[in-house]
Amino acid sequence: MPSHLSADRPAAQPPARGSVEALISQARRLMGDVDAVRRDAQHDGSDPRERWQRALCDLALHQLNDLDEHLAQLRDGPPPVPAAVEEAPAPTAVREAPRQDPLLTRVGSAEWNLLTDEASWSGELYQILGRDPAAPPLTLDELPSLVFDEDRPGLTAMVTDCLIDAKPIDGEFRVVLPDGDVRTVHMMGEPVLDADGGTASMWAVLRDVSELRRSQRTVSETRDSLQLHRHHAQAERRLAVELQEAVLPPWRGSLRLPHQGPETLDLAARYLPSSTSALIGGDWYDALQLADGATLLSVGDLTGHGVAVTSGMAMLLGALRGMAMAGTEPGQLMSWLNQLLDATVQPALGSAVCCRYRPETRTLVWAQAGHPAPLLFRGGTGRVLGAPDGVLLGATSGAAYGQAEETLEAGDVLLLHTDGLVPGHSGPEAVDRLLDLAPRFGEARTAQDCVRMVVEEFGDTERADDACVLVARTTT
């Protein structure tokens, strides 16, 4: 820390002008690059990530602008003191050289002489504090009159520590300008000691950091908003996962339905989550033994992601189970599901396929609503079942849904799935990829083996959407 500031101090040698100019050019090029990034980030502002990026760019631009101004001050020398201040007796005042850069309006200096109770301010400080340059500078006792009430104790403590304990000043306070504008000022200072080691005066540099603090607050607010957004997304995902796990069949591995009787279906299924979305979709699979000994098989997909969609999927699946248990045939069941979805407050679309299998006759009756048809594999070959009429659930009121019937044979494999099971492929291309598994299915011993083959073939690939696969294999 310097022991004194006086007019007869040897002048510091300025840095080479060329090197400073080079630094200024580099800083301004970087400012241009950051500003270009900021413009690219200007959208509608609804996404917390975009607001976060813009706020960081604003903060970086302020910092770089500060650097540019400080380099210019280093190049051109310190700003002048107004005439009204120069005429005031100030033995330790710094006589400043003329300033050449008109942009420097954010850094000022001051010195308060404790022996004469006189003060000297640079012209920049008058501008920062909104004072008339012709007015005398405020003394240390008068300075708190400009400061916010809640900031005055902090300023008083800093000044007291500096004057009594010779501690450096480094803190901020807010001032109210005559026009009502509020500015945040960063003050750095130190005591100037006399020959006996006592404090003769206090010298300080004051910097207007209002824009910097506003940018930092924006960064903090957008960071908090982003963290809150992430917290909500994580909480929503946990709720959707818990709801999905509560609704989808609890069995893992293989299941046989009906539980009694010689003719049963060997069942296995898998839910494959999206690898690109953190939200849970509305895909489902289900297998249920009905009151008359038949087996209900279904898969479906409600459009969208998140808790609302998962909740809607749970509603549809619950209604499907209840109506099927009451003996409703698949075609009529689809019609009532369509009415249910059409009557919901939140508009939604869904697709589904529903099968009713009677083990005593090995008869499969099924209906679909805008959904991929089941695939039947027999003797090492596979085919698509001919689909009856049926539009998407929720697409139109009063839609009618047809039914189709198929007789299965011992050892047949029936595959039901939702869209997105084959990543990168949809429609006929996806079906062809699944049908290519027919030779391997012909060698499979269980439905679980078939599901494992599907997952090995398509499960590890990055998928854009959730998918379900349900395999039913007739026993021999």
Side-chain angles (χ1 to χ4, degrees):
M1 181 174 64
S3 60
H4 67 279
L5 294 175
S6 61
D8 59 355
R9 170 179 294 179
Q13 293 298 320
R17 185 179 183 89
S19 61
V20 176
E21 290 285 0
L23 289 174
I24 292 175
S25 299
Q26 292 177 17
R28 292 178 178 176
R29 281 198 300 270
L30 186 55
M31 288 174 65
D33 293 338
V34 174
D35 189 52
V37 174
R38 181 185 182 278
R39 289 196 299 270
D40 290 340
Q42 288 180 341
H43 298 296
D44 59 4
S46 61
D47 188 341
R49 294 182 181 275
E50 293 176 358
R51 294 197 298 271
W52 169 252
Q53 186 180 20
R54 287 200 305 275
L56 284 179
C57 288
D58 286 340
L59 181 57
L61 285 173
H62 286 312
Q63 298 278 25
L64 288 170
N65 186 60
D66 289 344
L67 176 62
D68 180 69
E69 292 180 2
H70 295 160
L71 288 172
Q73 188 175 28
L74 182 63
R75 177 194 62 193
D76 300 330
V81 178
V85 178
E86 286 187 307
E87 294 170 359
T92 59
V94 178
R95 303 302 178 182
E96 297 172 323
R99 185 191 63 163
Q100 300 179 11
D101 195 323
L103 295 177
L104 298 177
T105 59
R106 298 176 64 185
V107 179
S109 62
E111 188 166 356
W112 290 274
N113 190 308
L114 304 182
L115 303 179
T116 62
D117 199 27
E118 296 167 345
S120 62
W121 284 10
S122 71
E124 300 296 339
L125 185 55
Y126 277 88
Q127 296 182 41
I128 291 173
L129 300 182
R131 300 281 295 174
D132 182 357
L138 298 181
T139 65
L140 282 177
D141 292 333
E142 296 170 332
L143 183 62
S145 64
L146 301 178
V147 180
F148 267 42
D149 290 344
E150 54 266 38
D151 293 350
R152 287 175 186 171
L155 174 62
T156 301
M158 287 191 298
V159 172
T160 300
D161 289 344
C162 180
L163 299 181
I164 296 178
D165 299 327
K167 291 183 179 180
I169 289 178
D170 188 355
E172 293 182 5
F173 53 85
R174 291 166 296 168
V175 298
V176 182
L177 274 60
D179 61 2
D181 188 24
V182 176
R183 287 184 181 171
T184 302
V185 178
H186 186 194
M187 182 176 182
M188 297 184 67
E190 54 192 24
V192 180
L193 306 180
D194 58 20
D196 298 328
T199 303
S201 62
M202 190 185 82
W203 172 83
V205 170
L206 295 94
R207 178 184 178 206
D208 179 4
V209 293
S210 306
E211 289 300 321
L212 180 61
R213 295 297 173 255
R214 275 193 283 268
S215 295
Q216 289 174 330
R217 285 195 298 272
T218 302
V219 169
S220 177
E221 290 168 0
T222 53
R223 181 179 60 240
D224 293 343
S225 175
L226 182 58
Q227 290 174 344
L228 182 62
H229 177 77
R230 287 174 175 169
H231 174 74
H232 286 167
Q234 291 169 353
E236 181 175 341
R237 176 176 173 81
R238 284 195 300 269
L239 180 58
V241 169
E242 291 172 0
L243 181 59
Q244 183 191 65
E245 290 178 347
V247 173
L248 293 183
W251 46 274
R252 297 293 185 267
S254 294
L255 174 71
R256 285 181 177 267
L257 293 178
H259 298 298
Q260 297 178 350
E263 299 293 339
T264 62
L265 284 179
D266 175 25
L267 300 167
R270 185 71 64 89
Y271 177 87
L272 300 173
S274 167
S275 57
T276 60
S277 174
L279 297 178
I280 299 296
D283 293 62
W284 84 79
Y285 65 87
D286 196 24
L288 180 67
Q289 181 175 331
L290 303 177
D292 60 359
T295 297
L296 172 73
L297 304 175
S298 71
V299 296
D301 180 13
L302 195 63
T303 57
H305 295 83
V307 172
V309 172
T310 309
S311 177
M313 176 270 288
M315 175 194 69
L316 283 182
L317 187 51
L320 187 152
R321 288 170 174 169
M323 290 187 289
M325 191 64 75
T328 306
E329 290 295 316
Q332 183 62 57
L333 195 153
M334 288 295 175
S335 296
W336 286 348
L337 285 182
N338 180 65
Q339 292 183 28
L340 177 63
L341 201 58
D342 185 59
T344 57
V345 176
Q346 185 69 29
L349 292 175
S351 68
V353 60
C354 178
C355 306
R356 188 182 184 95
Y357 178 71
R358 299 185 183 279
E360 66 274 11
T361 61
R362 287 183 174 166
T363 302
L364 184 79
V365 178
W366 68 284
Q368 63 85 29
H371 197 87
L375 306 181
L376 179 61
F377 298 86
R378 178 182 297 164
T381 62
R383 63 183 175 90
V384 183
L385 297 186
D389 293 335
V391 298
L392 286 170
L393 300 175
T396 181
S397 301
Y401 293 84
Q403 291 187 167
E405 185 173 315
E406 189 78 25
T407 300
L408 303 186
E409 298 179 2
D412 281 354
V413 172
L414 188 71
L415 186 149
L416 283 64
H417 67 97
T418 59
D419 283 328
L421 178 60
V422 182
H425 299 277
S426 60
E429 293 181 355
V431 170
D432 289 341
R433 296 288 302 275
L434 291 169
L435 291 177
D436 288 341
L437 297 175
R440 297 172 63 184
F441 281 1
E443 299 175 356
R445 293 181 176 273
T446 66
Q448 184 66 25
D449 289 341
C450 296
V451 169
R452 189 177 300 111
M453 293 173 186
V454 172
V455 174
E456 289 174 353
E457 188 71 22
F458 307 115
D460 292 336
T461 305
E462 185 174 286
R463 60 183 63 253
D465 201 0
D466 301 1
C468 288
V469 58
L470 172 62
V471 171
R473 184 176 183 272
T474 57
T475 57
T476 56

